[in-house]
Amino acid sequence: MVRVRVPASTANLGCGYDTFGMALGYYNIVAVEPAAGFSCTVRGEGEGRLPLNERNLTVRAAAAAYEAAGEAMPPLAFCCENHIPLSRGMGSSSAAIVGGIYAANVLMGEPLSADELLALATRLEGHPDNVAPALRGGFTVVAQEAGQLFCRRLPVPDGLRGVLAVPGFPVSTKKARAILPRQVELADAVFNLSHAAALALALAQGDLAGFGAMLNDRLHQPYRFQLIPGAADVVEAAIAAGALGCTLSGSGSTMISFSEDDDMLRDNIAAAMREAFQEHGVECRILFLKMDNRGVCLF
Ligand code: HSE
């Protein structure tokens, strides 16, 4: 049997739309083993809702890995233990894909390289910024050039912590992408470009205050905040409570704040985020997380 652990992830980090990702210390477990016949079970998030046949995303991803390696997929038993909430901007679909292709690659004797796994996962997901941290851990940057992916990662400094406010309602990534404008102002493009470059350099230098200060965005958040009542107030409240920064996690609905101070996260920032959401009638679950620097691994 192959048993793998896959981290959740937060994509975009504000200014890095479809580019930046960070792996979160919060995991799904996928176990896959050869069996007399195909089977699939899902426990936890998505139980009773996710398909248990060949349309299951983890199963489809495993099948795609076998196909990419030119091998026929044998009958396999899949067991998905899901902790990552669905459609909340925490990379649940990327975790499902990465779990499937990674487990399949191990079962085949690892014919696919790390770059091939990333390319395959990106093709299945449609964008690279959640699958890259799910595969490699840490902070990842992915650019596409001449049809090839260029991925670089940095380990996240140990002291960085996140608090996530996870609303009770989902946001469909498809819808959250469809509402974005096709064209943007040059000034907004420059704002994001400068913030993204500065954010990556700040993180590389271990400057967490600089990292937090650069989490702002003008390309997607202003539009997506229309789908998430109270989101702009959550950012303001979190920063007023001492957060290094606060941003939409992926395409939402989750908001994520960062801090180096555990007490401040628990006592001030989480409460401020929860109250700001409550003022708009939004109930949320709070998660305190470390970042993950390992990525998907055998478990
Ligand atoms: N970059 C993607 C988006 C991430 O913002 O649509 C989705 O989680």
Side-chain angles (χ1 to χ4, degrees):
M1 177 199 285
V2 170
R3 197 161 178 266
V4 305
R5 185 187 82 169
V6 200
S9 52
T10 184
N12 301 328
L13 293 156
C15 53
Y17 179 71
D18 275 0
T19 302
F20 288 163
M22 193 177 274
L24 302 170
Y26 201 69
Y27 304 94
N28 282 354
I29 310 290
V30 183
V32 188
E33 63 182 332
F38 166 80
S39 67
C40 178
T41 59
V42 171
R43 279 188 294 135
E45 298 288 340
E47 185 172 342
R49 283 198 290 146
L50 292 174
L52 300 177
N53 54 22
E54 286 77 3
R55 288 190 306 115
N56 178 284
L57 192 50
T58 299
V59 175
R60 271 170 42 207
Y66 273 93
E67 193 185 333
E71 291 200 22
M73 185 160 89
L76 296 173
F78 290 82
C79 180
C80 305
E81 187 187 318
N82 291 348
H83 298 276
I84 306 170
L86 307 183
S87 302
R88 296 299 193 281
M90 292 179 62
S92 62
S93 57
S94 287
I97 290 167
V98 166
I101 63 171
Y102 189 84
N105 198 38
V106 172
L107 282 170
M108 288 186 285
E110 306 199 35
L112 301 175
S113 68
D115 283 347
E116 286 170 329
L117 293 181
L118 178 64
L120 179 58
T122 300
R123 182 165 62 74
L124 294 171
E125 179 66 302
H127 46 87
D129 47 339
N130 286 108
V131 294
L135 279 163
R136 298 187 181 177
F139 168 73
T140 51
V141 180
V142 187
Q144 310 209 27
E145 176 60 40
Q148 300 291 315
L149 295 174
F150 179 87
C151 177
R152 289 292 177 271
R153 80 175 281 282
L154 282 174
V156 177
D158 266 353
L160 190 66
R161 301 276 188 277
V163 57
L164 287 78
V166 188
F169 62 86
V171 164
S172 136
T173 297
K174 199 172 165 195
K175 185 171 167 194
R177 294 177 81 82
I179 62 164
L180 302 182
R182 299 298 103 191
Q183 298 192 327
V184 301
E185 292 289 336
L186 181 62
D188 291 342
V190 171
F191 180 94
N192 270 57
L193 180 63
S194 55
H195 277 62
L199 182 150
L201 286 178
L203 199 62
Q205 292 167 351
D207 170 10
L208 295 181
F211 162 78
M214 292 295 108
L215 287 168
N216 209 344
D217 161 80
R218 288 196 191 161
L219 297 185
H220 66 105
Q221 280 195 172
Y223 309 96
R224 289 172 162 180
F225 277 8
Q226 295 160 20
L227 302 174
I228 305 166
D233 288 348
V234 170
V235 173
E236 204 173 301
I239 292 170
L244 295 170
C246 176
T247 188
L248 185 64
S249 184
S251 57
S253 53
T254 295
M255 302 293 296
I256 181 166
S257 294
F258 295 92
S259 177
E260 291 177 270
D261 183 331
D262 274 330
D263 293 338
M264 191 186 280
L265 264 185
R266 283 174 196 281
D267 300 341
N268 303 76
I269 301 168
M273 293 171 79
R274 185 196 290 282
E275 278 163 28
F277 260 146
Q278 271 171 347
E279 278 172 23
H280 292 265
V282 174
E283 292 302 326
C284 63
R285 183 172 147 204
I286 297 289
L287 295 173
F288 296 100
L289 302 179
K290 292 184 180 173
M291 305 302 131
D292 170 280
N293 274 323
R294 176 103 193 249
V296 63
C297 60
L298 292 175
F299 185 64

